[in-house]
Amino acid sequence: MTRRVEIIGGGPAGLYAARLLRLKDPRIDVVVHERTEGSAQTFGFGVGLTESTMRNLEAADPETAELLRHASYAGHSLELRGRADTVTLHGARNLAIGRAKLLDILGEAAAAVGVRIRTGVPADAASVDAEAVIAADGVRSATREKYAAEFGVRAKPGRSRFVWCGAAFAVDSAFFSAAARGDSLFVAHAYPYATDRSTFLIEVDDTTWRSSGLGELDARVPPGETDHASVALLERAFAAELHGGPLLTNRTRWSRFTDLTLDRWSTGNIVLLGDAAHTAHYTLGSGTKLALEDAIALADALTGESSVPAAFAAYERTRRPPVERFKKLAHRSQAWWDSYRLRAPWPAEQLAVSYMTRSGNLTLADFATEQPESVRRALARLGGPVPERPEEFDAWVLSRPVREPGLTLPGRMVSRQELDAAATVQELSWTDPEVWDTAADAALTRLNGTGGTPILVTGPSDRDAVAARVDMAERLRMQGGRPVGVALPEGERSPAATAVAAGRADFVVHP
Ligand SMILES: Cc1cc2nc3c(=O)[nH]c(=O)nc-3n(C[C@H](O)[C@H](O)[C@H](O)COP(=O)(O)OP(=O)(O)OC[C@H]3O[C@@H](n4cnc5c(N)ncnc54)[C@H](O)[C@@H]3O)c2cc1C
């Protein structure tokens, strides 16, 4: 049985794990070391929490969940603001909470069950003395870096850059909005998290970074200080959305998301928790969720297993599958936002179908059930009257003829024989989920040099390979200017209709 646990990092993961350990077994001595003086010095603004996360928190610790729910801002819808029009996505009933508030609640809840919290001093895993050391020291975890070889760390920086700002008012509805200035494109993700606060997260791609001179502005600012010149530029770009007011800052600097994957989450008596162990792109809004759910599993394991090694193994066994699942969804979401520039001119309804289905979590049919009118308007681009009933959309999409230069097909789903009878195609076998990396650039260049014949993207039938080639098909379609099809496993009518409706493929080939 574990008697003494020391936790490095008083973020959501560390504080919640501390609280749960003491709740489950008050005999365990738990100390949290937080290097800052507490929530007033934390980074960031509001974070979103979904209802499914809240249900998990309610099951683990109803009292804290109730406090979090009470302190959260609820019930906003989400607007996707396209270049010329806007679509409102209903059903976005997520909660959002200020990060400082979240930490206050979790800190008080931990202290209330006897957790000792030491603030203002950084801790080092090698010098804390406990049977189990939980390193919940965040995305830049010094513990993970110190034992990088033992953990088997793989880190990949994202393509876009972002700044995490706030605004001193609650936006009426969460929204995504892009502001174009010449070659520059600034993309804002905004949502309210209190009656007088909103998160404003702004992303830029490399083209914008260069064309707006953000690199030079950033280079002039010492580490740890806010880049006020960039913020002023963003305030001008989003003056309408900000009602002419300022962006709130908090050591606000441009960063790149780092995708972290580790071979192991523990070594000896040290275990990693939350962002220290894994990251998932912020556009899925799931980092805090994963951190809190990690804490639930680790507290269960440390109080339920007979030894620390058995507990660490049980924790990792429980948490790896959902974390891997979220990482994959988040990776596709990241790729969607990284390539937003190519979709920016689309009408908002079409953008919405693409956005809602970007991670592969929702199909066209799922989205159509929630918002049939919006989907119907988006589908009109495929030609002909769209059926009234959403359950008929899939069949209707697949029945639309293809009439593209060099390719005429009676419908969107054909056999390989039917395709070969209709046209000569260039085939690309593709399995890499990185469809914006240099290997994908090379494939695109190669194919663009082969004339205007249609392209068919093929590969194995496992889920990840299918997702990778659907994403690659979308890229080829957006940047190739010729019809692109994708081979899907037999019977995949719903994914096929989704791929066509979302503009990821012109046609689908089944075996
Ligand atoms: C722009 C952006 C938007 C986001 N939006 C969302 C969202 O909407 N929903 C969501 O669920 N998640 C969101 N996230 C992710 C979320 O912020 C993180 O996943 C979450 O904070 C992870 O919690 P954590 O406790 O693991 O790490 P952190 O919150 O980073 O906490 C780590 C703590 O450890 C402390 N620390 C570090 N080193 C030491 C040391 N040596 N000694 C003592 N203390 C130390 C730090 O000061 C910090 O308090 C977002 C992230 C970003 C960057």
Side-chain angles (χ1 to χ4, degrees), residues 174-193:
F175 65 81
F176 300 124
S177 183
R181 298 271 180 289
D183 275 350
S184 297
L185 187 72
F186 305 93
V187 183
H189 307 226
Y191 52 88
Y193 66 88

Side-chain angles (χ1 to χ4, degrees), residues 494-510:
S494 175
T498 305
V500 172
R504 297 195 173 93
D506 293 291
F507 61 94
V508 168
V509 170
H510 62 79

